[in-house]
């Protein structure tokens, strides 16, 4: 019974959007002119530390905060690098970053975006892969499709939760819908990497690098996703297809993996 109510811990962060509230840190040029901003989470780190300790204490839970297998699947690394490259190609902030910002502000933007991305990666991977994916793995533990069902459900929730970027963050709806689609496909890949490596640290790092490229290279605003601008749309479609193809490839190697070394003891 205690294992079944763990889902409550998975739901709590989803129904309190204030937990993911972020402040915008302005990026200025030498004339103190505002050129862009990076959103920084203010509550996620203290919350997730308490969250992890509580779950480990009450449920004797193993998130996998160790690295036992250093071999990251090639498809995961390729997809991550492709996403970083895609964010650079579709960026409308390159001129701002490389021609208008002073070196000091570029350094500030790099550090703020990197720290922010690590916190977001830790927060989201702990909840969606660490808790929700493992919860569904437990629910479907007797099924021949244990991983598939758990990965699909947790990834779908992960994708849909990105709607809050528009609902609460004011982000462009078209760009958010792009995030929902590729985040769901990305979540499936992260779940597979989690199972393959038996470590939540690896998907946290992959997640953080992707978010860093999004925050840093879009500091002047998200790409224009209108029909008149074909480049961001082409990048979006390409990355979505790449993630789906990567999901299919990696699924073949993890569908029969034992899931008993992570999650519930």
């Amino acid at each position: 019974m205690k294992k079944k109510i763990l889902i409550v811990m998975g739901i709590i962060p989803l129904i309190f959007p204030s937990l993911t509230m972020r402040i915008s840190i302005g990026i200025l040029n030498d004339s103190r002119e505002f050129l862009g901003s990076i959103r920084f989470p203010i509550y996620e780190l203290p919350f997730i530390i308490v969250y992890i300790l509580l779950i480990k204490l009450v449920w004797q839970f193993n998130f996998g905060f160790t690295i036992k297998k250093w071999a990251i699947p090639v498809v995961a690394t390729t997809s991550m690098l492709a996403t970083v490259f895609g964010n650079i190609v579709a960026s409308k902030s390159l001129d701002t970053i490389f021609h208008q910002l002073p070196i000091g502000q570029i350094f500030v933007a790099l550090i703020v975006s990197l720290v922010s991305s690590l916190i977001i990666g830790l927060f989201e991977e702990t909840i969606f892969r660490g808790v929700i994916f493992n919860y569904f793995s437990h629910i479907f533990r007797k099924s021949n499709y244990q991983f598939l069902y758990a990965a699909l459900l947790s990834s779908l929730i992960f994708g849909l939760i990105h709607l809050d970027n528009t609902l609460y963050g004011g982000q462009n709806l078209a760009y958010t819908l792009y995030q929902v689609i590729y985040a769901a496909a990305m979540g499936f890949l992260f779940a597979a990497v989690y199972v393959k490596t038996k470590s939540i640290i690896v998907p946290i790092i992959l997640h953080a690098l992707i978010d860093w490229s999004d925050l840093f290279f879009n500091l002047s605003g998200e790409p224009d996703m209108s029909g008149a601008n074909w480049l961001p749309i082409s990048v979006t479609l390409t990355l979505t297809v790449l993630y789906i193809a990567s999901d299919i490839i990696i699924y073949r190697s993890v569908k029969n993996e034992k899931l008993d070394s992570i999650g519930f003891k």
Side-chain angles (χ1 to χ4, degrees):
M1 181 61 184
K2 187 168 73 170
K3 291 181 178 180
K4 290 184 178 180
I5 63 173
L6 179 65
I7 192 59
V8 174
M9 295 298 291
I11 293 173
I12 286 175
L14 308 185
I15 60 177
F16 291 103
S18 58
L19 288 173
T20 57
M21 187 173 71
R22 293 162 191 173
I23 58 172
S24 292
I25 298 178
I27 305 298
L28 313 174
N29 62 12
D30 287 331
S31 302
R32 311 303 294 173
E33 179 185 0
F34 178 83
L35 296 179
S37 64
I38 295 173
R39 292 179 301 147
F40 190 86
I42 55 177
Y43 298 132
E44 291 183 16
L45 184 58
F47 172 82
I48 207 64
I49 291 173
V50 174
Y51 185 84
I52 290 168
L53 293 175
L54 180 62
I55 291 177
K56 286 178 71 69
L57 177 65
V58 175
W59 281 273
Q60 300 297 303
F61 201 82
N62 177 28
F63 285 98
F65 281 104
T66 58
I67 299 181
K68 297 179 180 178
K69 298 180 181 179
W70 285 93
I72 303 174
V74 174
V75 291
T77 305
T78 302
S79 298
M80 180 273 293
L81 292 174
T83 306
V84 172
F85 179 73
N87 283 332
I88 295 172
V89 169
S91 171
K92 65 178 185 181
S93 305
L94 297 181
D95 181 68
T96 299
I97 294 170
F98 295 110
H99 296 109
Q100 299 182 49
L101 285 181
I103 294 298
Q105 285 291 285
I106 293 175
F107 181 74
V108 169
L110 278 170
I111 296 301
V112 171
S113 58
L114 182 58
V115 173
S116 178
S117 300
L118 286 170
I119 293 172
I120 294 169
L122 172 63
F123 181 87
E124 294 187 355
E125 290 307 307
T126 298
I127 293 167
F128 290 100
R129 255 57 69 185
V131 174
I132 296 178
F133 169 76
N134 274 316
Y135 173 79
F136 285 129
S137 293
H138 175 72
I139 294 298
F140 295 111
R141 64 191 181 280
K142 296 181 180 179
S143 170
N144 292 330
Y145 300 98
Q146 178 189 15
F147 170 80
L148 180 62
Y149 293 155
L152 284 175
L153 286 170
S154 60
S155 302
L156 178 61
I157 297 171
F158 178 60
L160 291 174
I161 205 66
H162 283 75
L163 288 171
D164 70 356
N165 290 335
T166 290
L167 296 175
Y168 303 106
Q171 183 171 273
N172 177 273
L173 178 59
Y175 189 66
T176 298
L177 291 176
Y178 149 64
Q179 286 185 319
V180 168
I181 295 169
Y182 96 81
M186 186 192 303
F188 190 98
L189 186 64
F190 287 165
V193 171
Y194 182 35
V195 169
K196 196 74 175 174
T197 61
K198 302 297 187 292
S199 170
I200 201 166
I201 294 176
V202 179
I204 287 172
I205 293 173
L206 294 174
H207 191 148
L209 288 171
I210 290 170
D211 280 0
W212 166 78
S213 68
D214 185 26
L215 290 174
F216 181 72
F217 289 104
N218 291 324
L219 60 83
S220 294
E222 300 91 6
D224 180 8
M225 298 294 288
S226 66
N229 195 347
W230 60 269
L231 182 58
I233 296 174
S234 299
V235 170
T236 298
L237 293 174
T238 300
L239 288 175
T240 302
V241 170
L242 175 62
Y243 273 105
I244 292 172
S246 298
D247 290 344
I248 294 171
I249 292 169
I250 201 169
Y251 172 66
R252 296 173 180 173
S253 67
V254 300
K255 62 182 179 180
N256 296 320
E257 287 269 354
K258 297 292 185 182
L259 307 184
D260 53 1
S261 62
I262 50 178
F264 294 110
K265 291 184 180 180

